[in-house]
Amino acid sequence: MPDHEKIILNTNINGEIRQDLIYEDLTLLDYLREFLGLLGTKRGCNCSECGSCTVLLDGRAVYSCSVLAIQAEGKKVLTIEGVSEPGKLHPIQEAYVEAGAVHCGFCTPGFVLSTKALLDRNHHPTKDEIKEALAGNLCRCTGYVQIIEAVLLASKKMYGSEKEGA
């Protein structure tokens, strides 16, 4: 029996239904980057420590370096390339730019997707809820203050103020 068996993966990547023949031990990160050429998902630590490889799997933020591609069988995967329409920024991306939360940009895709997962389930998170939701994402440039401000701004852009005058 060969070391690496091939299997068919049926999944939805950024709204596109896919059926691909892949190696059974291929990580979701390698499937996205090497097989599909979606380079926005970054390889950082490659051991679930930095969050640079974060994608949404059925709406939940996951480290794609620690998920086998086959675990996406029958599921929806959203990468940074699928967050907005081509040539446009998503309100979360706009908020990151406006708040100065993008410096070198390496960690930004993971932060944007973690932010999307948070705001999809909690339209008006507190600073503590934001810190908890983004705890698995590391940034070496911004010091996190601007990132938290970006999430709050994105919340307002997408859902308005929680209360009038807030």
Side-chain angles (χ1 to χ4, degrees):
M1 185 177 228
D3 290 335
H4 300 286
E5 292 287 325
K6 284 198 169 183
I7 55 172
I8 294 176
L9 173 64
N10 298 287
T11 191
N12 179 324
I13 307 293
N14 298 328
E16 179 186 346
I17 304 298
R18 305 270 324 175
Q19 185 176 66
D20 296 305
L21 185 62
I22 63 166
Y23 287 108
E24 65 184 354
D25 61 350
L26 188 68
T27 65
L28 184 55
L29 175 62
D30 287 332
Y31 172 66
L32 296 170
R33 287 185 59 82
E34 309 304 326
F35 196 92
L36 299 180
L38 297 172
L39 302 179
T41 304
K42 305 299 183 198
R43 181 184 313 279
C45 66
N46 212 33
C47 63
S48 300
E49 293 288 328
C50 73
S52 294
C53 68
T54 301
V55 298
L56 300 188
L57 185 61
D58 277 349
R60 189 172 64 92
V62 298
Y63 300 127
S64 63
C65 72
S66 298
V67 172
L68 291 175
I70 194 62
Q71 291 176 271
E73 173 67 31
K75 297 181 179 174
K76 293 180 181 179
V77 177
L78 182 68
T79 70
I80 195 68
E81 290 90 350
V83 168
S84 63
E85 296 176 29
K88 295 184 178 183
L89 293 178
H90 187 279
I92 294 171
Q93 294 169 308
E94 290 175 356
Y96 269 72
V97 171
E98 289 173 28
V102 178
H103 288 245
C104 83
F106 192 82
C107 67
T108 305
F111 271 104
V112 167
L113 288 159
S114 292
T115 298
K116 183 168 183 352
L118 169 63
L119 295 180
D120 283 351
R121 70 177 184 273
N122 180 353
H123 298 335
H124 300 286
T126 65
K127 285 184 180 182
D128 285 340
E129 290 168 331
I130 293 168
K131 289 176 186 177
E132 183 177 335
L134 300 183
N137 295 80
L138 301 178
C139 175
R140 297 180 72 176
C141 303
T142 67
Y144 301 99
V145 173
Q146 296 101 326
I147 292 170
I148 293 167
E149 290 172 1
V151 177
L152 292 170
L153 180 58
S155 170
K156 287 180 185 169
K157 283 177 165 286
M158 295 169 66
Y159 304 109
S161 296
E162 188 169 13
K163 298 173 185 167
E164 276 309 307

